Amino acid sequence: MCGIVGYCGPKRVVPVVLEGLRRLEYRGYDSAGIVYLEDGKLIKHRSEGKLARLEDIIDEAIIADSHIGLGHTRWATHGAPTTENAHPHSDCTGELVVIHNGIIENYHSLREELKAKGHVFTSETDTEVLAHLIEDNLTNDLVKAVKKAIKFLEGSFAIGVLWAGMPDTLVAVRNQSPLVLGVSEEDGTFLASDIPALLPYTKQVVFLDDMELAILTADSYQVFSLETDQPVVKEVKTIEWNAAMAEKAGYKHFMLKEIFEQPQAITNTISGRINLESGEVSLPEININGEDLKEIDRIFLVACGTSWHAALVAKYWIEKFANIPVEVDIASEFRYRHLLINERVLTVSISQSGETADTLAGIRIAKELGSKIITICNVVGSTMTREADGTIYTHAGPEIGVASTKAFISQLAALFLFTLYLGQQKKTIDLEVSRTLGKELIDIAGVVESELPRIKSEIEQLITTYYDSRDFLFVGRGLNFPIALEGALKLKEISYIHAEGYASGELKHGPIALIDKDMPILALVPQDEVYQKSISNVEEIKARQGRIILIGTEGDDHLKNITDDVIYLPKVAEAVNPILYTIPAQLLSYEIATKRGCDVDQPRNLAKSVTVE
Ligand code: F6R
């Protein structure tokens, strides 16, 4: 969380930094700030609220003839989201500034020590400690001062530092918070928390690793290990995303665009990975040979939020088709529980960003215990992909909307493929079954594509009598239970309606007490192997006068006897139902949130990439 941008090069710095911040605003939007160097002086502008508020007050800065600077968009951890707490933070002289993403855990004691030495603090943030700590160690070499200061820090940090005394240089350090350099012969050198900020300028990037320090000038960059104090030769990677992929392309919101990109995301994720003639799935990128995979006797799936819901679906798939027991863990729990993991366990992390702090910590622990690690991830070069033994990339393209949609669908596609792959290695499914299932996965992209516009318009009508509800329940069984959880999460995060997801059969163990004529319940009732059970649960809700919305199979006329509010979906193979049934759940949340006037792409209190614990 928090977005960092830095630039030095031939372009005017302020527009470059602002464009970068715009593209990183999904990482935090409580307050924003920029700083640049002009005529030997640091000029700083900060504002609480979204980036637009900052842009309103910096007309003159846009044309400043400055070519080096930093910018920051904040997701508050220490200190309220006020202008005073917005980054950049300065030292006592105002000649040195710092931007930071992460948490300095020992900031309180450092602050007291620095105050005792006479440093004057002007914010409540942990970050300001850094500025004073570097100042305290500064004589005439910024790099040395930063190195010394870092030794005092505990916690996670990605930082950018600019000092008027070294006017051509930015210094950056990464430890447990993401940081990437962008390099371009024509346009200079860039620093950012995430790739979208760099896309308008360069596709050549260098990912920093933990405890690395980078020195950036307009035409060079050098990276040093803070552990060995030696230079590190870094690989320059080429990113395949382009700038347009991270734009709204005429849609009102990123979320809507991303929902409509889902058929393509499915296709991209499976393309080249399954041979439809033979049914064979090939995933060489997991870097674990077939013999080793055969030895695996248990799988842990570890993830947070929406990615955790994808893991829950995958448990059903893997256990059914690959016959391997699967445990699904919320990463923040996984990392602190007593784990019975050894080298016969495979741990799979699922993450859009590849930077989620808890998930990352989880795979590090599993690795130490001897488990092989695979990550299913959307962001090329992200930390998880670098630490895992192998990565199955989801090819969803950049996901900017804070509420995850296309990343989820592509995770499901990747996990389905992975299931087939495991089944083939373990010889639990033959190639003919795999071919049929693979075909069903491919076909679902076409079904989603053709159904999306109709589902959207039916949901738009339907929500006119639901959008002002105070609560909402989502229920489903089997493969669709995790989709009920996902629907509830989407609704609460973007519309602020209290929503819960339940396994339909669990209702009568408590939640049914909530049902009355004011309680809307969305039930996922495809004609699958648990259909009759699901319908019985819906009847129980009806008997208690709940307001029922049913999502079911085309031609199932019985649903209309239960409620008027039915969204029909085409009959598809049972195994891929969760992919299709996610669509109305996403759209219901989107339509309700927009009707309520909520900021769909940047919901309150959230940030896209949760890089702190
Ligand atoms: C919800 C959402 C979050 C993320 C979660 C994990 O819409 O986006 O719940 O799914 O923060 O993020 P990743 O997948 O990046 O690890």
Side-chain angles (χ1 to χ4, degrees):
M1 20 249 299
C2 295
I4 282 184
V5 180
Y7 173 67
C8 39
K11 291 176 172 291
R12 287 182 198 270
V13 66
V14 176
V16 172
V17 168
L18 283 178
E19 181 60 30
L21 290 181
R22 244 173 254 131
R23 288 164 178 272
L24 291 190
E25 210 183 1
Y26 62 82
R27 297 181 63 86
Y29 31 82
D30 291 339
S31 58
I34 54 163
V35 66
Y36 54 93
L37 196 68
E38 196 177 31
D39 299 329
K41 288 211 164 354
L42 290 176
I43 318 277
K44 193 163 89 173
H45 297 281
R46 299 180 298 169
S47 170
E48 63 181 65
K50 296 200 171 172
L51 187 62
R53 302 249 314 250
L54 177 73
E55 289 177 290
D56 284 346
I57 58 164
I58 56 165
D59 281 355
E60 285 185 15
I62 300 280
I63 49 160
D65 190 22
S66 168
H67 299 269
I68 188 162
L70 297 167
H72 188 269
T73 175
R74 179 167 186 246
W75 187 84
T77 58
H78 295 67
T82 59
T83 300
E84 294 70 36
N85 289 333
H87 302 212
H89 288 287
S90 307
D91 69 346
C92 298
T93 66
E95 290 182 0
L96 183 143
V97 280
V98 176
I99 52 172
H100 165 224
N101 166 207
I103 294 180
I104 310 296
E105 285 163 4
N106 58 337
Y107 87 101
H108 190 68
S109 57
L110 289 172
R111 186 178 165 113
E112 292 310 306
E113 283 167 32
L114 288 159
K115 270 164 95 177
K117 286 182 170 181
H119 290 267
V120 177
F121 283 77
T122 58
S123 79
E124 303 155 298
T125 64
D126 51 339
T127 303
E128 195 185 349
V129 156
L130 263 169
H132 294 283
L133 195 58
I134 298 169
E135 177 189 17
D136 210 56
N137 287 281
L138 184 62
T139 45
N140 58 2
D141 185 336
L142 178 63
V143 176
K144 274 193 187 154
V146 173
K147 283 182 184 170
K148 281 188 188 161
I150 295 298
K151 293 205 168 89
F152 292 94
L153 302 182
E154 288 165 20
S156 57
F157 42 87
I159 61 170
V161 191
L162 175 58
W163 177 44
M166 264 168 84
D168 303 325
T169 307
L170 292 176
V171 175
V173 179
R174 174 205 155 119
N175 187 40
Q176 295 177 35
S177 294
L179 207 50
V180 55
L181 310 184
V183 289
S184 155
E185 277 186 16
E186 302 91 63
D187 287 340
T189 314
F190 304 78
L191 175 69
S193 299
D194 202 355
I195 293 161
L198 308 174
L199 292 176
Y201 309 104
T202 182
K203 290 182 176 189
Q204 305 296 109
V205 305
V206 174
F207 294 99
L208 294 187
D209 286 304
D210 282 348
M211 292 308 272
E212 285 183 347
L213 175 145
I215 304 170
L216 286 70
T217 66
D219 52 13
S220 73
Y221 69 92
Q222 286 172 284
V223 179
F224 291 86
S225 158
L226 288 168
E227 271 143 12
T228 61
D229 208 17
Q230 294 300 311
V232 185
V233 180
K234 302 291 290 184
E235 186 188 350
V236 179
K237 292 210 162 151
T238 304
I239 297 300
E240 282 170 16
W241 294 354
N242 61 46
M245 286 165 98
E247 280 155 17
K248 281 192 201 149
Y251 284 89
K252 198 166 166 211
H253 297 103
F254 279 112
M255 183 178 175
L256 189 61
K257 175 187 172 229
E258 288 159 6
I259 289 174
F260 274 80
E261 283 173 343
Q262 294 183 119
Q264 195 60 51
I266 301 171
T267 309
N268 290 350
T269 299
I270 52 189
S271 105
R273 286 170 163 163
I274 179 157
N275 178 336
L276 279 185
E277 300 293 304
S278 66
E280 201 175 333
V281 174
S282 76
L283 291 172
E285 60 271 49
I286 68 172
N287 274 335
I288 302 175
N289 68 42
E291 289 311 307
D292 286 349
L293 263 188
K294 279 187 202 137
E295 298 302 310
I296 297 296
D297 58 18
R298 205 147 45 102
I299 296 180
F300 278 80
L301 301 177
V302 183
C304 298
T306 287
S307 299
W308 177 66
H309 297 153
L312 290 172
V313 175
K315 174 182 168 72
Y316 287 82
W317 283 334
I318 297 173
E319 291 187 340
K320 177 165 182 182
F321 296 115
N323 210 23
I324 307 173
V326 176
E327 291 197 33
V328 180
D329 268 81
I330 291 174
S332 55
E333 294 297 315
F334 179 82
R335 65 183 291 188
Y336 292 116
R337 76 183 175 88
H338 182 70
L339 293 169
L340 301 178
I341 285 186
N342 55 32
E343 50 295 330
R344 292 174 70 92
V345 168
L346 175 67
T347 305
V348 181
S349 71
I350 303 160
S351 176
Q352 187 285 130
S353 62
E355 302 292 349
T356 301
D358 286 319
T359 313
L360 194 52
I363 62 170
R364 285 176 179 159
I365 294 165
K367 199 172 195 174
E368 266 172 32
L369 292 169
S371 172
K372 288 261 188 247
I373 312 290
I374 293 175
T375 190
I376 294 185
C377 188
N378 195 40
V379 177
V380 175
S382 57
T383 311
M384 267 178 233
T385 67
R386 284 178 287 140
E387 298 200 9
D389 295 294
T391 298
I392 304 174
Y393 278 112
T394 52
H395 295 295
E399 189 178 67
I400 308 295
V402 164
S404 187
T405 53
K406 64 175 179 172
F408 177 68
I409 289 291
S410 64
Q411 287 167 349
L412 292 181
L415 284 160
F416 195 80
L417 275 181
F418 181 55
T419 302
L420 299 185
Y421 182 76
L422 286 173
Q424 288 173 8
Q425 302 302 316
K426 288 267 188 185
K427 307 242 178 302
T428 53
I429 44 174
D430 63 31
L431 283 180
E432 185 47 35
V433 174
S434 180
R435 201 180 69 81
T436 310
L437 290 169
K439 172 96 177 42
E440 281 156 1
L441 179 61
I442 286 171
D443 288 349
I444 197 76
V447 175
V448 172
E449 172 131 51
S450 60
E451 293 297 318
L452 256 165
R454 176 188 62 85
I455 302 172
K456 181 176 183 314
S457 83
E458 289 184 17
I459 296 238
E460 214 175 321
Q461 297 293 317
L462 182 130
I463 58 100
T464 51
T465 52
Y466 288 97
Y467 77 95
D468 55 356
S469 305
R470 215 190 54 177
D471 306 281
F472 234 100
L473 295 183
F474 289 71
V475 296
R477 267 181 179 262
L479 281 165
N480 283 301
F481 161 48
I483 305 309
L485 295 176
E486 174 60 6
L489 175 62
K490 286 286 92 83
L491 186 65
K492 62 190 143 194
E493 68 182 331
I494 64 170
S495 75
Y496 318 135
I497 294 175
H498 168 244
E500 301 292 340
Y502 286 105
S504 310
E506 186 64 13
L507 274 187
K508 49 174 117 34
H509 298 282
I512 202 164
L514 293 169
I515 291 173
D516 62 14
K517 63 179 182 19
D518 297 320
M519 175 63 89
I521 301 108
L522 181 142
L524 304 165
V525 288
Q527 285 178 327
D528 56 12
E529 61 184 15
V530 285
Y531 171 73
Q532 287 305 341
K533 310 271 173 212
S534 303
I535 291 296
S536 304
N537 297 138
V538 169
E539 295 289 1
E540 289 157 9
I541 299 167
K542 191 175 178 191
R544 287 156 185 86
Q545 297 176 342
R547 300 174 66 199
I548 302 171
I549 302 169
L550 292 178
I551 315 286
T553 311
E554 229 161 51
D556 184 353
D557 296 332
H558 178 59
L559 303 186
K560 278 282 176 197
N561 299 331
I562 301 175
T563 175
D564 290 337
D565 294 335
V566 184
I567 304 284
Y568 283 112
L569 300 178
K571 187 154 186 65
V572 296
E574 192 163 329
V576 293
N577 259 336
I579 297 181
L580 184 59
Y581 278 69
T582 300
I583 310 298
Q586 293 170 336
L587 284 166
L588 180 105
S589 308
Y590 174 79
E591 292 298 340
I592 289 183
T594 47
K595 181 104 180 140
R596 287 163 72 94
C598 298
D599 188 340
V600 170
D601 283 334
Q602 295 178 344
R604 70 183 179 210
N605 304 338
L606 294 178
K608 181 129 192 92
S609 181
V610 183
T611 51
V612 293
E613 233 192 297

